[in-house]
Amino acid sequence: MEHDPAVLAIDAGQTGIKVRRTRPDGGVHEAVLPGVRTDAPLVPQLATVVGEIALESGQPVSVVAAGVSGLTDAAADAAALLDLVGPAGVERVVLAHDSVTSFLGTLGDRRGAVVASGTGVVTLGVGTRRTARVDGWGHIMGDAGSGYWIGREGLDAAMRAYDGRGPATPLLDRLRDRWPDPTGAYIHLQSDPGRVHAVAAFARSVADLAADDPVAAGICRRAADELAHSVVTALDAVAEPDDADPPHVGAIGGVFGSVVVRARFEERMRDLRPDAEIATARGSGVDGAALLPGLGTGHALRVLVGSAQR
């Protein structure tokens, strides 16, 4: 696989949208925009991003390749996006869930699994013939081990400490930094349209305190256990009897910035799948998006990619 020099690569996550446009002269324009809203139609949001980049650069965009958080089969309408971005000169659209682009950016062509944990989390396993997505079902039904999950656990622990239902923890002080009256915090959150991000942001407090606070450390370790469980599930789902080489595992996203989470994750992977090799990421989600147009028809991931062309 090779990067298409004409591609506008988009890595659209809930925390932010990263874009990269390679100009015909070889120059590169990169930008970070506000994240996508998974509770609103995604195709119009992507069209707005393409329009903004085309207007800012003053150059037409010929190929759009996007990996998008929260993209369902019903929403993955490459033809609809192509219709909306046609005025920007786009001739081809390639569209996939961000688990696909995270995998490509992290492991490239190698067999294995990638877990990407930020505000939400999704794991993708890719074998020689099969793929398996594990979790990524949103903060209400899933996203175990995500930033939202950790933040929610941290808020719960803080309020348990406030009530006397749980052990004392400095997480309560961090909650008071944001909401001086803890009894009103839930009202503020429930009325906040950005509450998913507000809850996920509390994960930073949990990670910061994990080195010294047993409560915060326990939350981080449980998150890592959930993430490792998802990876092992994905690897098992795509394994073939004739697999000879060990699978590779990539762990990316802001949650893995926690020393406690990463150390526990690697420990659990060694226990559960000692044959797996934890790999250093080759690139990022936007690198994976740039690779989408060149994905071969025989690749196991190809069935997960939508495409439309004029």
Side-chain angles (χ1 to χ4, degrees):
M1 293 183 297
E2 295 182 355
H3 293 276
D4 186 325
V7 73
L8 170 63
I10 302 174
D11 178 29
Q14 298 175 57
T15 303
I17 301 173
K18 299 176 183 178
V19 297
R20 178 188 298 155
R21 182 183 183 280
T22 304
R23 299 190 301 268
D25 63 4
V28 175
H29 171 77
E30 295 185 335
V32 179
L33 305 174
V36 293
R37 291 182 53 194
T38 56
D39 60 345
L42 291 169
V43 167
Q45 296 179 64
L46 295 174
T48 298
V49 170
V50 175
E52 289 181 3
I53 296 301
L55 181 63
E56 181 179 342
S57 65
Q59 298 285 339
V61 175
S62 57
V63 180
V64 172
V68 190
S69 176
L71 188 71
T72 63
D73 290 343
D77 193 339
L81 180 56
L82 182 58
D83 286 341
L84 290 176
V85 298
V90 177
E91 298 176 354
R92 184 186 180 198
V93 166
V94 189
L95 198 57
H97 189 270
D98 65 343
S99 61
V100 174
T101 49
S102 292
F103 188 96
L104 289 172
T106 303
L107 294 184
D109 282 336
R110 291 180 290 181
R111 180 177 64 87
V114 171
V115 54
S117 186
T119 297
V121 62
V122 66
T123 300
L124 185 65
V126 178
T128 54
R129 291 180 281 275
R130 294 183 290 174
T131 66
R133 173 179 165 182
V134 176
D135 207 347
W137 308 128
H139 69 281
I140 295 175
M141 298 173 61
D143 283 356
S146 68
Y148 180 92
W149 188 96
I150 293 171
R152 170 66 180 78
E153 290 289 302
L155 292 169
D156 179 81
M159 294 312 297
R160 286 178 180 274
Y162 179 82
D163 289 340
R165 292 179 292 132
T169 170
L171 288 168
L172 179 55
D173 297 326
R174 294 296 183 95
L175 183 146
R176 283 192 169 109
D177 289 342
R178 175 72 185 272
W179 300 285
D181 177 11
T183 64
Y186 76 103
I187 297 295
H188 290 291
L189 273 175
Q190 290 175 4
S191 61
D192 183 356
R195 57 186 170 274
V196 172
H197 296 291
V199 172
F202 199 70
R204 171 52 58 192
S205 294
V206 179
D208 288 346
L209 295 171
D212 301 307
D213 176 36
V215 174
I219 293 170
C220 288
R221 286 194 293 269
R222 292 198 303 276
D225 290 349
E226 292 283 1
L227 298 170
H229 182 49
S230 290
V231 168
V232 171
T233 301
L235 290 176
D236 289 345
V238 301
E240 300 287 352
D242 57 350
D243 286 339
D245 298 326
H248 292 81
V249 171
I252 62 174
V255 165
F256 288 101
S258 162
V259 174
V260 174
V261 170
R262 181 165 287 278
R264 175 66 174 184
F265 173 81
E266 294 182 357
E267 175 189 343
R268 291 300 293 152
M269 287 304 307
R270 287 192 294 269
D271 291 341
L272 298 170
R273 285 296 300 262
D275 61 317
E277 295 185 4
I278 298 178
T280 301
R282 291 181 172 183
S284 63
V286 74
D287 291 308
L291 290 170
L292 279 177
L295 195 62
T297 56
H299 197 286
L301 282 174
R302 192 65 185 83
V303 297
L304 302 180
V305 180
S307 182
Q309 188 165 352
R310 294 194 186 282

